[in-house]
Amino acid sequence: MADVDQGSALPSETTSPVLDSIMNDTVANATDSINATVTKFVSTPEGTALAYGSLVFMALLPIFFGALRSVSCSKSKNSSDMPETITSRDAARFPIIASCTLFGLYLFFKVFSQEYINLLLSMYFFVLGILALSHTISPFMNRAFPTTLPNKQYQLLFTQDTGENKEEIVNYEFDTKDLVCLCMSSVVGVWYIVKKHWIANNLFGLAFALNGVELLHLNNVSTGCILLGGLFVYDVFWVFGTNVMVTVAKSFEAPIKLVFPQDLLERGLGASNFAMLGLGDIVIPGIFIALLLRFDVSLKKNTRTYFYTSFLAYIFGLGLTIFVMHTFKHAQPALLYLVPACIGFPVLVALLKGELTEMFSYESSDEILPHTPRLTHFPTVSGSPASLANSMQQSSCSPRRRRHTPSSL
């Protein structure tokens, strides 16, 4: 979070559904002091354009590729890669849970030392970031791993008691490919912990965003409208109505935002005057765009009309946010512009094509295999690094979601 020089906005910082909504809404300029005085670095037009252009480009990557991966994820027969489905009840409660979490963090930062809280958060996101990044690069490792090298299977098993009372605490299965991914991701994790470098922050942020778009599925368009509509109100209230989000965002240090320096041209990789985009402004619209891609696939017309429409609408909404922010020199909640664009444009296209009824009757949860296992309590986990990252995000960072079977629908 930063002062509002040059039209800065509140950063929306999120990494998983609950944290997504905590900082979920803003594009920001963070202006640091050049020296011990109060003199501020003034960004050049070229530097500002490069920073915001890069943020928009980075935001599009997890949405595009996460949506594509969500299609194969919904058809996967591997229980470790099964998505979590958000229902209409979950969507309706989401803004309330997010508001309570946000205000709780606000009180925490008021009562306890910011230093120790951020230390705990850094260690948590260090572990979660490694797992999320490992999951992100695992498909590439599957293709790049030499066939001449043996791909051995491993299992990490912890149990308690013996005999009939024996209970598994951790049952973690992985192979050589997963081990390589974890090692590579650990290097980025150490880099982030030691240096807090903006590139390491972005690698973790992109991984969190892609995992969110891929693994969190809205069960239908109506649920998506409820979720986005609720967060629209949440966003506007906490940005314009109080200083709670400003305080939390200024105090919160975690890789739950994408950043890009506006002084990169002057200072190189050591630049520190960052423009920011919170992951909530990526993941929340992203899961709705991914739903529309799965709807396109269900139509079996070999077109991606609604996906491309919503994707272009997202670009328009994000660009409009930046434009208004710099025009009025005031913080702007991004969902104020993203939600009407991402919902309105696809609905208008469906209305013109006569497919509005089909759109709102589509059930994404019908594609989910019934009776798939889910994490019931932490830390009992089983599966690959992908399933472990998914389980940690589901259990620790998201509101309660249920996976519906056809019989329950």
Side-chain angles (χ1 to χ4, degrees):
M1 189 68 60
D3 58 67
V4 191
D5 281 354
Q6 287 199 330
S8 63
L10 311 176
S12 77
E13 309 177 11
T14 51
T15 180
S16 59
V18 167
L19 284 175
D20 275 343
S21 57
I22 295 173
M23 308 292 165
N24 168 29
D25 18 314
T26 51
V27 180
N29 275 331
T31 307
D32 294 330
S33 297
I34 291 179
N35 47 43
T37 71
V38 293
T39 303
K40 301 292 181 66
F41 177 86
V42 178
S43 304
T44 63
E46 295 81 5
T48 301
L50 176 62
Y52 282 113
S54 300
L55 286 178
V56 171
F57 176 73
M58 286 191 292
L60 298 179
L61 291 177
I63 292 178
F64 186 85
F65 291 104
L68 293 178
R69 288 172 61 157
S70 77
V71 175
S72 57
C73 177
S74 65
K75 298 177 181 179
S76 174
K77 295 182 180 180
N78 185 354
S79 62
S80 66
D81 294 330
M82 294 301 295
E84 276 290 299
T85 301
I86 301 176
T87 67
S88 57
R89 177 181 292 184
D90 300 325
R93 292 187 299 188
F94 194 88
I96 301 173
I97 296 172
S99 296
C100 294
T101 305
L102 177 64
F103 191 69
L105 281 174
Y106 173 79
L107 295 179
F108 257 84
F109 280 116
K110 287 292 185 181
V111 175
F112 300 102
S113 171
Q114 175 181 329
E115 225 178 292
Y116 296 113
I117 295 175
N118 281 320
L119 178 62
L120 292 174
L121 290 173
S122 294
M123 296 308 299
Y124 171 73
F125 282 105
F126 168 75
V127 176
L128 187 59
I130 289 175
L131 296 170
L133 189 58
S134 177
H135 179 205
T136 301
I137 64 177
S138 59
F140 305 101
M141 181 58 62
N142 290 335
R143 296 186 184 95
F145 193 80
T147 55
T148 55
L149 296 178
N151 185 31
K152 297 182 179 179
Q153 303 294 319
Y154 302 93
Q155 184 178 26
L156 183 64
L157 180 63
F158 287 96
T159 62
Q160 65 179 9
D161 292 333
T162 58
E164 295 181 355
N165 297 325
K166 188 175 182 179
E167 181 182 357
E168 288 185 0
I169 298 185
V170 174
N171 185 3
Y172 184 43
E173 299 174 356
F174 55 99
D175 56 24
T176 305
K177 296 177 184 178
D178 296 326
L179 200 57
V180 173
C181 290
L182 286 170
C183 290
M184 295 172 62
S185 302
S186 297
V187 173
V188 178
V190 172
W191 184 20
Y192 173 77
I193 285 291
V194 175
K195 297 292 186 181
K196 290 289 183 5
H197 198 276
W198 60 273
I199 296 180
N201 174 91
N202 287 348
L203 290 174
F204 274 169
L206 289 170
F208 287 140
L210 190 144
N211 285 340
V213 175
E214 176 189 357
L215 299 173
L216 293 173
H217 286 196
L218 296 164
N219 65 347
N220 55 49
V221 173
S222 297
T223 298
C225 293
I226 294 172
L227 178 64
L228 268 66
L231 290 177
F232 173 90
V233 176
Y234 159 91
D235 204 359
V236 173
F237 172 77
W238 289 110
V239 172
F240 289 145
T242 72
N243 71 335
V244 171
M245 186 172 289
V246 179
T247 304
V248 173
K250 289 172 68 174
S251 307
F252 204 87
E253 295 180 6
I256 52 178
K257 59 185 176 293
L258 300 181
V259 300
F260 198 91
Q262 299 180 79
D263 52 345
L264 179 68
L265 300 177
E266 292 79 14
R267 300 182 182 178
L269 295 179
S272 57
N273 179 38
F274 295 108
M276 307 179 192
L277 177 64
L279 298 190
D281 298 329
I282 302 172
V283 175
I284 299 301
I287 59 177
F288 186 75
I289 295 172
L291 171 67
L292 293 179
L293 175 59
R294 297 193 297 275
F295 171 62
D296 277 325
V297 173
S298 72
L299 293 177
K300 298 179 181 179
K301 294 183 179 180
N302 202 27
T303 61
R304 300 294 181 265
T305 303
Y306 297 103
F307 171 67
Y308 290 127
T309 299
S310 57
F311 192 73
L312 292 175
Y314 178 85
I315 299 174
F316 170 78
L318 191 56
L320 183 60
T321 304
I322 297 172
F323 172 77
V324 173
M325 181 185 67
H326 282 280
T327 300
F328 293 96
K329 300 291 188 288
H330 192 279
Q332 298 294 320
L335 290 184
L336 177 63
Y337 307 95
L338 291 172
V339 169
C342 291
I343 294 178
F345 281 77
V347 168
L348 180 61
V349 171
L351 189 61
L352 294 175
K353 296 183 66 175
E355 296 176 340
L356 192 62
T357 303
E358 291 180 75
M359 173 185 282
F360 278 88
S361 61
Y362 168 69
E363 290 285 341
S364 177
S365 55
D366 288 344
E367 300 171 2
I368 307 300
L369 297 178
H371 310 303
T372 53
R374 63 173 294 172
L375 184 71
T376 55
H377 63 281
F378 186 81
T380 303
V381 293
S382 177
S384 63
S387 62
L388 182 55
N390 188 20
S391 297
M392 288 187 69
Q393 287 177 301
Q394 293 163 6
S395 63
S396 304
C397 306
S398 60
R400 184 186 174 199
R401 294 180 293 277
R402 292 175 302 282
R403 184 180 293 112
H404 282 187
T405 64
S407 59
S408 63
L409 294 173

